[in-house]
Amino acid sequence: MKFAVFGDIHGNIEALKAACAAAQAAGAEKIYHLGDLGGYSPFVNEVVGFLIEHGVEGVQGNYDETVANDREHCGCKAEDPVQEEMANKSFEWTKQHASQKTKDYLRSLPFKITFVAFGEKVLIFHATPSKNNLYWYEDRPEKFFKEMAEKVDADVMIYGHTHKPYRKDINGKIFINAGSVGKPKDGDPRACVTLIDITAGKVNVEFLRISYDVEKAAKAIVSSGLPKYFAEKLKEAK
Ligand SMILES: [Fe+2]
């Protein structure tokens, strides 16, 4: 079974369209998204419309939950006061511009998706199996990975939230952070499409990086009234 996973799209419709074309060209039979569909870029309604139209199933991220339920804060962690201020502006913008239909969709997303492929139990969630806003980076101690795996009945865990892709194998469990389609933070501004191929006894993971018109996406951020800061971050992939 070959499928693609789209992490953190964050309102970036240009990146999503390119990612979808690449996943189809690579032979993905199905696409899953990892939530966090709005914020930082302006096209949350278009992203949701596109996912519905293309039958892309997915889970609810912290940003989806907080936008849909009109929370005070997006649940994202800022590294400095400037980032916090910018994050708040993005969150308020997104709550204001997300349509009722979009909010209904975001609210309806499940916390997790599970299925079995060739005997491998696959579990998909946004950040961790029990919390949607904890950052699960690759350099977390092995103990952390083991504790997470103990909470669930799964062989392959797929998640995002950090915008930095990796695969790690520990004690026969496979941990896949699918990175981000619309707002990578690993220094590579191209969209990240994670391609997973499960066959008998084998799980193959590929992180495709897809070029798209980042300049156009950055301009759309500026003209939407969102802070220019996010256009710069998009280009720098930080
Ligand atoms: Fe997130």
Side-chain angles (χ1 to χ4, degrees):
M1 184 202 180
K2 198 186 223 183
F3 59 99
V5 181
F6 291 177
D8 301 63
I9 300 164
H10 282 299
N12 189 339
I13 190 71
E14 292 295 323
L16 174 59
K17 285 179 182 169
C20 192
Q24 283 165 350
E29 296 154 45
K30 199 166 163 69
I31 301 171
Y32 295 96
H33 74 73
L34 298 180
D36 274 15
L37 305 178
Y40 316 122
S41 282
F43 301 107
V44 62
N45 296 321
E46 289 80 357
V47 164
V48 167
F50 187 94
L51 295 173
I52 293 170
E53 189 189 326
H54 290 81
V56 179
E57 261 184 75
V59 293
Q60 186 182 61
N62 55 297
Y63 220 99
D64 309 314
E65 193 276 328
T66 51
V67 165
N69 296 303
D70 205 27
R71 307 273 188 226
E72 292 284 306
H73 196 274
C74 61
C76 331
K77 200 170 126 229
E79 282 150 23
D80 55 66
V82 173
Q83 202 182 71
E84 175 68 16
E85 190 196 334
M86 295 299 145
N88 287 335
K89 284 187 177 165
S90 161
F91 187 56
E92 289 307 317
W93 190 102
T94 307
K95 281 196 291 184
Q96 234 174 61
H97 290 83
S99 69
Q100 196 52 53
K101 186 184 164 199
T102 293
K103 287 183 180 173
D104 290 344
Y105 174 80
L106 298 178
R107 201 177 296 113
S108 75
L109 290 168
F111 188 89
K112 61 178 183 178
I113 290 174
T114 59
F115 58 88
V116 180
F118 288 95
E120 303 284 347
K121 291 177 194 154
V122 179
L123 174 62
I124 298 176
F125 46 85
H126 178 66
T128 73
S130 55
K131 259 190 120 201
N132 70 5
N133 65 348
L134 192 66
Y135 293 86
W136 189 349
Y137 290 107
E138 188 173 10
D139 61 1
R140 287 251 186 204
E142 222 174 85
K143 189 168 164 270
F144 183 89
F145 284 78
K146 287 177 182 164
E147 280 170 5
M148 289 295 143
E150 276 165 19
K151 288 177 195 274
V152 295
D153 180 22
D155 307 304
V156 180
M157 280 147 271
I158 305 166
Y159 48 92
H161 186 56
T162 66
H163 304 203
K164 292 183 176 181
Y166 63 81
R167 176 207 175 133
K168 248 191 177 182
D169 292 58
I170 298 171
N171 285 355
K173 305 279 182 187
I174 301 173
F175 303 88
I176 303 164
N177 187 311
S180 169
V181 163
K183 198 185 188 311
K185 290 186 188 169
D186 61 350
D188 184 345
R190 293 174 299 170
C192 184
V193 168
T194 300
L195 205 59
I196 302 174
D197 193 8
I198 302 181
T199 49
K202 205 171 165 215
V203 178
N204 193 50
V205 181
E206 253 185 290
F207 300 106
L208 310 178
R209 296 311 282 257
I210 313 304
S211 298
Y212 72 98
D213 197 341
V214 177
E215 204 56 52
K216 185 179 171 190
K219 280 193 184 129
I221 293 174
V222 177
S223 56
S224 73
L226 277 161
K228 193 171 174 249
Y229 173 91
F230 295 115
E232 297 305 322
K233 293 288 173 196
L234 190 70
K235 289 191 267 186
E236 294 165 10
K238 278 186 182 159

